[in-house]
């Protein structure tokens, strides 16, 4: 009879959910260092130019799984973040080259994954499409940061159409470089600001469409930073905005200049005075964020400071929400 502890030991695998090896599963040996790379003697062989011969390795220590980048040329990303060494948990996403891998265990349901990447993809009516590779999926399965990294590593061109609850947007790529980003109904947002917001969306769908040059925004508005730089900044801002949430009012709240003022206006910096004017003119948090020339993080930091020093105060509506439950759309729409 099997020992009950032995019966509970999980077997781990890497399941490819995007790229050349989509659908393939690579079992991980608990007694070996599981190398990932182009080399034929690797436990996980990924034969593609973006992958180094010995790219990364995975080791199992008891029930814990660790991944380590081995000084690869193009790096290893876990959940959209470049790592040297990381603790992997079931469901974590690993991007190596153009292969999107997911850690699964023996008791993970093998449901159909929503990332579809193929040439000549067939729509429901059975007609074959031609031209660029089609890519579509759900944001809750494959976050936009991972999708963008994958498209960048594959040097893809196209317009990524993104549809989330009550909002939609577009990201323009040429040969893997993000040129611009837009959110429908927010025409005055800078491309970077729109991108940072969309990367934070947690629900919805995406689909890569053919790049139509005449639909590109004016070239003098294009983003100039690298894809890695833009995504790292987007995730940094996302983390900081989460930290600030309890300090901001609800989405139904309105700002006004404090009566009486808790600080002399002479003590405010030019940036703080500008934000005071924007808050006075635009009143609600969402419209203030849209109107501000600063990104959402800097705008939120300025607002929090003005509240703390008594330059601004909040008028709550009857639809007040608890302070810690700020409507997600306020910061992410």
């Amino acid at each position: 009879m099997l020992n009950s502890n032995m019966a509970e030991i999980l077997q781990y695998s890497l399941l490819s959910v995007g790229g050349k090896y989509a659908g393939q599963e690579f079992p991980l040996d608990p007694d070996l260092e599981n190398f990932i790379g182009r080399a034929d003697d690797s436990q996980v062989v990924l034969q593609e130019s973006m992958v180094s011969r010995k790219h990364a390795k995975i080791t199992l220590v008891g029930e814990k799984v660790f991944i380590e980048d081995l000084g690869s040329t193009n790096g290893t990303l876990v959940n959209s973040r470049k790592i040297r060494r990381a603790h992997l948990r079931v469901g974590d996403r690993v991007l190596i080259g153009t292969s999107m891998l997911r850690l699964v265990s023996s008791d993970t349901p093998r449901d159909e994954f929503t990332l579809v990447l193929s040439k000549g993809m067939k729509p429901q009516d059975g007609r074959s499409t031609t031209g660029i590779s089609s890519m579509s999926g759900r944001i809750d399965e494959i976050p936009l940061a991972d999708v963008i990294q994958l498209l960048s590593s594959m040097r893809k061109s196209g317009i990524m159409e993104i549809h989330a609850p009550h909002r939609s947007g577009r990201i323009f790529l040429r040969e893997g470089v993000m040129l611009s980003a837009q959110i429908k109904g927010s025409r005055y947002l800078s491309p970077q600001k729109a991108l940072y917001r969309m990367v934070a969306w947690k629900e919805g769908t995406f689909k890569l469409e053919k790049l139509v040059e005449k639909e590109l925004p004016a070239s003098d508005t294009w983003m100039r930073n690298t894809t890695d730089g833009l995504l790292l900044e987007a995730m940094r801002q996302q983390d900081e905005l989460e930290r600030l949430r309890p300090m901001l009012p609800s989405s139904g709240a309105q700002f006004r200049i404090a009566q009486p003022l808790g600080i002399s206006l002479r003590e405010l910096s030019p940036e703080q005075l500008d934000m005071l004017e924007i808050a006075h003119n635009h009143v609600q948090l969402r419209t203030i964020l849209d109107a501000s020339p600063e990104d959402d993080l800097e705008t939120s930091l300025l607002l929090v400071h003005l509240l703390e020093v008594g330059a601004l105060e909040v008028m709550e509506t009857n639809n007040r929400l608890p302070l810690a439950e700020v409507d997600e759309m306020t910061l992410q729409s």
Side-chain angles (χ1 to χ4, degrees):
M1 182 174 177
L2 282 175
N3 181 293
S4 60
N5 289 332
M6 291 179 61
E8 294 173 2
I9 293 176
L10 296 176
Q11 302 296 316
Y12 293 99
S13 302
L14 289 178
L15 177 63
S16 178
V17 296
K20 179 179 178 180
Y21 297 93
Q24 234 174 289
E25 190 165 339
F26 303 93
L28 300 175
D29 192 322
D31 301 319
L32 295 175
E33 290 183 320
N34 295 269
F35 287 96
I36 306 170
R38 291 200 329 269
D40 291 336
D41 59 350
S42 300
Q43 280 68 35
V44 180
V45 179
L46 302 176
Q47 291 285 0
E48 53 175 284
S49 60
M50 299 288 291
V51 177
S52 301
R53 282 184 55 78
K54 294 290 185 182
H55 194 108
K57 70 175 180 180
I58 290 180
T59 52
L60 283 70
V61 181
E63 293 188 355
K64 293 185 177 181
V65 182
F66 297 93
I67 185 168
E68 181 181 350
D69 184 83
L70 300 177
S72 64
T73 302
N74 294 300
T76 300
L77 282 83
V78 174
N79 297 331
S80 309
R81 299 175 188 269
K82 189 169 284 190
I83 58 95
R84 291 184 179 177
R85 190 172 189 269
H87 176 202
L88 288 181
R89 294 170 176 81
V90 170
D92 282 350
R93 303 171 308 280
V94 179
L95 181 64
I96 292 180
T98 64
S99 292
M100 186 81 69
L101 307 163
R102 191 167 220 168
L103 182 69
V104 296
S105 67
S106 49
D107 62 355
T108 303
R110 298 304 195 269
D111 295 333
E112 181 180 354
F113 284 86
T114 56
L115 179 64
V116 181
L117 180 62
S118 61
K119 272 271 192 191
M121 192 176 169
K122 291 186 177 181
Q124 289 184 346
D125 63 7
R127 292 181 292 112
S128 178
T129 62
T130 58
I132 65 164
S133 296
S134 297
M135 187 176 188
S136 62
R138 283 172 39 200
I139 297 170
D140 58 337
E141 285 288 346
I142 310 291
L144 285 178
D146 286 353
V147 178
I148 293 166
Q149 284 283 7
L150 183 58
L151 292 173
S152 178
S153 66
M154 298 175 72
R155 299 179 61 82
K156 289 294 179 186
S157 299
I159 301 174
M160 185 154 57
E161 300 279 356
I162 304 151
H163 296 279
H166 314 296
R167 49 202 166 166
S168 61
R170 310 170 96 192
I171 297 174
F172 301 83
L173 302 105
R174 182 189 283 151
E175 295 184 358
V177 176
M178 284 191 291
L179 299 179
S180 190
Q182 300 172 337
I183 293 177
K184 186 177 180 180
S186 301
R187 58 182 296 188
Y188 297 111
L189 290 186
S190 70
Q192 288 94 333
K193 199 166 177 176
L195 175 69
Y196 296 162
R197 290 189 186 184
M198 285 189 282
V199 167
W201 293 355
K202 294 179 173 60
E203 293 181 83
T205 62
F206 61 85
K207 185 174 183 181
L208 184 68
E209 303 283 4
K210 185 176 180 179
L211 179 63
V212 180
E213 292 288 334
K214 66 180 182 180
E215 293 187 28
L216 276 172
S219 60
D220 60 353
T221 68
W222 289 358
M223 298 182 287
R224 305 300 177 186
N225 293 357
T226 64
T227 296
D228 282 348
L230 288 165
L231 290 179
L232 284 172
E233 179 60 16
M235 288 181 285
R236 184 189 74 83
Q237 291 205 13
Q238 189 175 340
D239 290 343
E240 287 297 306
L241 284 168
E242 286 295 327
R243 183 183 63 82
L244 289 175
R245 279 184 189 280
M247 307 177 202
L248 289 166
S250 66
S251 61
Q254 296 182 342
F255 288 86
R256 70 179 179 188
I257 294 176
Q259 301 174 1
L261 278 170
I263 187 173
S264 169
L265 294 181
R266 295 191 191 92
E267 297 179 53
L268 298 179
S269 69
E271 294 79 13
Q272 292 163 354
L273 285 170
D274 287 345
M275 186 53 57
L276 191 66
E277 182 179 359
I278 291 170
H280 175 69
N281 291 334
H282 295 276
V283 183
Q284 288 193 328
L285 180 57
R286 184 180 303 175
T287 53
I288 293 170
L289 288 168
D290 283 352
S292 172
E294 306 293 341
D295 58 45
D296 288 343
L297 175 58
E298 184 60 28
T299 300
S300 298
L301 287 168
L302 286 167
L303 289 172
V304 167
H305 177 76
L306 291 171
L307 287 168
E308 288 176 344
V309 299
L312 282 177
E313 60 186 12
V314 173
M315 301 181 293
E316 294 289 356
T317 68
N318 293 331
N319 298 322
R320 180 175 180 177
L321 298 175
L323 198 62
E325 295 181 13
V326 180
D327 182 357
E328 199 170 75
M329 286 179 61
T330 300
L331 293 180
Q332 298 180 4
S333 64

